[in-house]
PDB file of all heavy atoms in Angstrom:
ATOM      1  N   ARG A 449     -10.801   1.485   2.552  1.00  0.00           N
ATOM      2  CA  ARG A 449      -9.917   1.157   3.668  1.00  0.00           C
ATOM      3  C   ARG A 449      -9.071   2.468   4.064  1.00  0.00           C
ATOM      4  O   ARG A 449      -8.702   3.151   3.208  1.00  0.00           O
ATOM      5  CB  ARG A 449      -8.880  -0.068   3.338  1.00  0.00           C
ATOM      6  CG  ARG A 449      -9.607  -1.195   3.263  1.00  0.00           C
ATOM      7  CD  ARG A 449      -8.661  -2.384   3.036  1.00  0.00           C
ATOM      8  NE  ARG A 449      -7.738  -2.534   4.113  1.00  0.00           N
ATOM      9  CZ  ARG A 449      -6.623  -3.320   4.170  1.00  0.00           C
ATOM     10  NH1 ARG A 449      -6.444  -4.190   3.165  1.00  0.00           N
ATOM     11  NH2 ARG A 449      -5.857  -3.293   4.920  1.00  0.00           N
ATOM     12  N   ARG A 450      -9.088   2.736   5.341  1.00  0.00           N
ATOM     13  CA  ARG A 450      -8.302   3.945   5.678  1.00  0.00           C
ATOM     14  C   ARG A 450      -6.778   3.751   5.456  1.00  0.00           C
ATOM     15  O   ARG A 450      -6.243   2.654   5.621  1.00  0.00           O
ATOM     16  CB  ARG A 450      -8.488   4.188   7.262  1.00  0.00           C
ATOM     17  CG  ARG A 450      -9.863   4.446   7.657  1.00  0.00           C
ATOM     18  CD  ARG A 450      -9.926   4.386   9.216  1.00  0.00           C
ATOM     19  NE  ARG A 450     -11.245   4.871   9.718  1.00  0.00           N
ATOM     20  CZ  ARG A 450     -12.293   4.192   9.941  1.00  0.00           C
ATOM     21  NH1 ARG A 450     -12.298   2.925   9.692  1.00  0.00           N
ATOM     22  NH2 ARG A 450     -13.389   4.648  10.561  1.00  0.00           N
ATOM     23  N   LEU A 451      -6.158   4.725   5.131  1.00  0.00           N
ATOM     24  CA  LEU A 451      -4.633   4.821   4.931  1.00  0.00           C
ATOM     25  C   LEU A 451      -4.032   5.882   5.814  1.00  0.00           C
ATOM     26  O   LEU A 451      -4.292   7.130   5.663  1.00  0.00           O
ATOM     27  CB  LEU A 451      -4.281   4.980   3.444  1.00  0.00           C
ATOM     28  CG  LEU A 451      -4.594   3.900   2.485  1.00  0.00           C
ATOM     29  CD1 LEU A 451      -4.142   4.409   1.044  1.00  0.00           C
ATOM     30  CD2 LEU A 451      -3.822   2.621   2.909  1.00  0.00           C
ATOM     31  N   TYR A 452      -3.241   5.502   6.789  1.00  0.00           N
ATOM     32  CA  TYR A 452      -2.514   6.355   7.665  1.00  0.00           C
ATOM     33  C   TYR A 452      -1.142   6.539   7.248  1.00  0.00           C
ATOM     34  O   TYR A 452      -0.414   5.710   6.935  1.00  0.00           O
ATOM     35  CB  TYR A 452      -2.530   5.735   9.061  1.00  0.00           C
ATOM     36  CG  TYR A 452      -4.056   5.630   9.609  1.00  0.00           C
ATOM     37  CD1 TYR A 452      -4.689   4.493   9.397  1.00  0.00           C
ATOM     38  CD2 TYR A 452      -4.609   6.638  10.388  1.00  0.00           C
ATOM     39  CE1 TYR A 452      -5.950   4.221   9.845  1.00  0.00           C
ATOM     40  CE2 TYR A 452      -5.877   6.387  10.721  1.00  0.00           C
ATOM     41  CZ  TYR A 452      -6.612   5.283  10.455  1.00  0.00           C
ATOM     42  OH  TYR A 452      -7.951   5.083  10.850  1.00  0.00           O
ATOM     43  N   ASP A 453      -0.749   7.901   7.283  1.00  0.00           N
ATOM     44  CA  ASP A 453       0.691   8.225   6.959  1.00  0.00           C
ATOM     45  C   ASP A 453       1.478   8.417   8.117  1.00  0.00           C
ATOM     46  O   ASP A 453       1.057   8.257   9.257  1.00  0.00           O
ATOM     47  CB  ASP A 453       0.705   9.429   5.898  1.00  0.00           C
ATOM     48  CG  ASP A 453       0.254  10.730   6.517  1.00  0.00           C
ATOM     49  OD1 ASP A 453       0.131  10.806   7.848  1.00  0.00           O
ATOM     50  OD2 ASP A 453      -0.101  11.668   5.794  1.00  0.00           O
ATOM     51  N   ALA A 454       2.817   8.781   7.892  1.00  0.00           N
ATOM     52  CA  ALA A 454       3.714   8.939   8.994  1.00  0.00           C
ATOM     53  C   ALA A 454       3.366   9.976   9.921  1.00  0.00           C
ATOM     54  O   ALA A 454       3.448   9.855  11.229  1.00  0.00           O
ATOM     55  CB  ALA A 454       5.163   9.192   8.483  1.00  0.00           C
ATOM     56  N   ALA A 455       2.697  11.034   9.498  1.00  0.00           N
ATOM     57  CA  ALA A 455       2.253  12.201  10.359  1.00  0.00           C
ATOM     58  C   ALA A 455       1.037  11.614  11.250  1.00  0.00           C
ATOM     59  O   ALA A 455       1.071  11.940  12.512  1.00  0.00           O
ATOM     60  CB  ALA A 455       1.829  13.388   9.537  1.00  0.00           C
ATOM     61  N   ASP A 456       0.194  10.688  10.682  1.00  0.00           N
ATOM     62  CA  ASP A 456      -0.854  10.286  11.510  1.00  0.00           C
ATOM     63  C   ASP A 456      -0.332   9.310  12.646  1.00  0.00           C
ATOM     64  O   ASP A 456      -0.787   9.377  13.761  1.00  0.00           O
ATOM     65  CB  ASP A 456      -1.821   9.349  10.658  1.00  0.00           C
ATOM     66  CG  ASP A 456      -2.542  10.219   9.720  1.00  0.00           C
ATOM     67  OD1 ASP A 456      -3.016  11.292   9.951  1.00  0.00           O
ATOM     68  OD2 ASP A 456      -2.777   9.655   8.626  1.00  0.00           O
ATOM     69  N   LEU A 457       0.652   8.650  12.364  1.00  0.00           N
ATOM     70  CA  LEU A 457       1.341   7.638  13.316  1.00  0.00           C
ATOM     71  C   LEU A 457       2.060   8.440  14.359  1.00  0.00           C
ATOM     72  O   LEU A 457       1.949   8.035  15.539  1.00  0.00           O
ATOM     73  CB  LEU A 457       2.245   6.592  12.625  1.00  0.00           C
ATOM     74  CG  LEU A 457       1.744   5.761  11.662  1.00  0.00           C
ATOM     75  CD1 LEU A 457       2.689   4.913  10.959  1.00  0.00           C
ATOM     76  CD2 LEU A 457       0.674   4.826  12.219  1.00  0.00           C
ATOM     77  N   ARG A 458       2.710   9.446  14.000  1.00  0.00           N
ATOM     78  CA  ARG A 458       3.258  10.400  15.021  1.00  0.00           C
ATOM     79  C   ARG A 458       2.202  10.935  15.943  1.00  0.00           C
ATOM     80  O   ARG A 458       2.352  11.095  17.199  1.00  0.00           O
ATOM     81  CB  ARG A 458       4.082  11.599  14.307  1.00  0.00           C
ATOM     82  CG  ARG A 458       5.484  11.216  13.923  1.00  0.00           C
ATOM     83  CD  ARG A 458       6.313  12.365  13.535  1.00  0.00           C
ATOM     84  NE  ARG A 458       5.672  13.243  12.614  1.00  0.00           N
ATOM     85  CZ  ARG A 458       5.829  12.972  11.199  1.00  0.00           C
ATOM     86  NH1 ARG A 458       6.444  11.972  10.747  1.00  0.00           N
ATOM     87  NH2 ARG A 458       5.209  13.752  10.323  1.00  0.00           N
TER      88      ARG A 458
END
Side-chain angles (χ1 to χ4, degrees):
R449 291 183 58 179
R450 295 169 169 90
L451 289 180
Y452 298 88
D453 63 17
D456 295 323
L457 296 178
R458 278 192 304 275

